[in-house]
Amino acid sequence: MKSASDLLAGNGNHETWIPLLETATREVFELMLGCQLTVSVAAEEPSEEVTAMVGLAGQLCGVLSVRCDSKAAALMASKMLGVPLEKVGAEVSDALGEVCNMVAGNFKNKIAGLAEGCLLSPPTVVTGSDYSLHSLAESPGLEINLLFERMPIVISLQIHS
Amino acid sequence: MSIRALIIDDSSVMRKIVERSLRQAGIDLSQVFEAGNGAEALVVLQDNLVDLMLCDINMPVMDGLEFIKQLPGVANAKGVPVVMITTEGSESHVVEALSHGARGYIRKPFTAEQVKEHVVPILGGKS
């Protein structure tokens, strides 16, 4: 396991974090939703978007987000609650927020020093795609595209420091 | 023997997952109380007896660490084991929680098997 300081060095190049971010995401879906994510061959964009965001502060500052369409978010809630899809209601935002929170926590716990030196904000969930996100990120950020039950999900990490 | 559990997490989805994991772990639950933060949990404990508490750390109003610090003054919490279930992997949080009486620590994401490993031993045959 590389340390946070090792990984934070490197002229803003955090490409080595992509496998960690993907592993962190896959583990959350396997353990908490009981399903395997598959690789998205093309960078498919979700429609009717729902976006969950968790802020990171401390040794690593940034925003981690999980973006998917509303049907995928509802299916996540269904699997997490163990109820049929048609019985899912207001829990969708809560479920996606928790997924994002667990991905962020699992990701930082994979980097030595970040578990201790980086705190997470409560999740924020935005519904709809008609918005602009202005980040003060100092690097281009990381993004991975995966498929959840054949529906695209996009996990991105905007790094401020 | 069945037990009464108090599950404390600001996510209602996570509270349901924890309850389901307890049942999947073979723990017979006679009653499940839910609270969205430590302050709500203290209110639940004023009027109810429980055998087990599972508590998140990062919560609004009153977090999990503050909650367990308050427990020595709560009559209905005497001798009741508390297991922290959290995304936080910080060693200092683990140490602080254990030093204030938490009996275990489960990191999210988790499996029902992990819940069983951490919870069953501390129930001392009650489950």
Side-chain angles (χ1 to χ4, degrees):
Chain A
M1 185 185 278
K2 289 186 177 178
S3 71
S5 53
D6 288 344
L7 290 165
L8 283 167
N11 302 321
N13 180 7
H14 302 100
E15 292 294 314
T16 53
W17 284 5
I18 288 179
L20 297 175
L21 186 57
E22 182 171 335
T23 302
T25 306
R26 287 182 180 278
E27 286 176 352
V28 168
F29 279 79
E30 286 169 20
L31 295 177
M32 305 304 286
L33 286 82
C35 65
Q36 302 271 342
L37 296 174
T38 53
V39 175
S40 177
V41 178
E44 293 181 58
E45 283 294 312
S47 57
E48 298 176 55
E49 283 181 15
V50 188
T51 305
M53 291 176 277
V54 166
L56 299 98
Q59 200 169 350
L60 174 69
C61 294
V63 177
L64 188 140
S65 67
V66 177
R67 191 156 53 90
C68 63
D69 64 35
S70 54
K71 189 179 169 194
L75 187 56
M76 287 178 204
S78 163
K79 286 179 177 288
M80 291 170 83
L81 290 164
V83 300
L85 188 57
E86 59 271 19
K87 294 210 170 169
V88 172
E91 305 93 342
V92 172
S93 296
D94 186 7
L96 189 63
E98 270 305 304
V99 167
C100 187
N101 185 43
M102 286 188 284
V103 170
N106 201 23
F107 168 72
K108 80 181 181 92
N109 291 338
K110 291 185 183 303
I111 300 171
L114 276 195
E116 198 69 40
C118 177
L119 296 175
L120 303 180
S121 76
T124 297
V125 179
V126 178
T127 303
S129 53
D130 188 15
Y131 67 90
S132 299
L133 183 64
H134 301 281
S135 170
L136 301 177
E138 293 158 358
S139 63
L142 310 175
E143 188 168 286
I144 56 175
N145 293 270
L146 295 165
L147 294 175
F148 163 65
E149 303 289 350
R150 288 180 283 184
M151 292 178 280
I153 60 168
V154 181
I155 296 92
S156 68
L157 178 64
Q158 296 290 325
I159 301 160
H160 295 192
S161 63
Chain B
M1 182 179 172
S2 59
I3 65 157
R4 298 156 295 188
L6 170 56
I7 301 171
I8 310 148
D9 197 305
D10 55 330
S11 163
S12 64
V13 171
M14 192 52 64
R15 295 197 297 269
K16 295 297 179 200
I17 291 175
V18 172
E19 178 181 347
R20 196 171 73 229
S21 297
L22 288 169
R23 295 188 192 280
Q24 287 173 343
I27 295 165
D28 183 12
L29 299 172
S30 63
Q31 206 167 7
V32 177
F33 300 95
E34 294 185 22
N37 58 61
E40 287 183 12
L42 292 174
V43 172
V44 170
L45 288 169
Q46 284 174 5
D47 299 320
N48 298 283
L49 293 168
V50 299
D51 305 296
L52 172 68
M53 291 186 269
L54 298 112
C55 185
D56 188 15
I57 288 186
N58 290 329
M59 294 181 289
V61 185
M62 182 188 289
D63 67 27
L65 293 176
E66 181 58 32
F67 170 68
I68 55 171
K69 288 178 193 171
Q70 302 275 332
L71 289 181
V74 179
N76 284 349
K78 293 273 189 300
V80 178
V82 183
V83 176
M84 311 307 288
I85 299 188
T86 179
T87 312
E88 269 302 335
S90 159
E91 189 75 19
S92 61
H93 281 141
V94 177
V95 170
E96 187 174 1
L98 296 176
S99 71
H100 284 94
R103 297 281 300 278
Y105 199 95
I106 300 170
R107 190 183 289 177
K108 301 174 192 172
F110 56 82
T111 62
E113 193 58 35
Q114 287 170 320
V115 172
K116 184 177 184 177
E117 284 171 13
H118 284 83
V119 171
V120 170
I122 64 174
L123 289 173
K126 277 188 179 178
S127 63

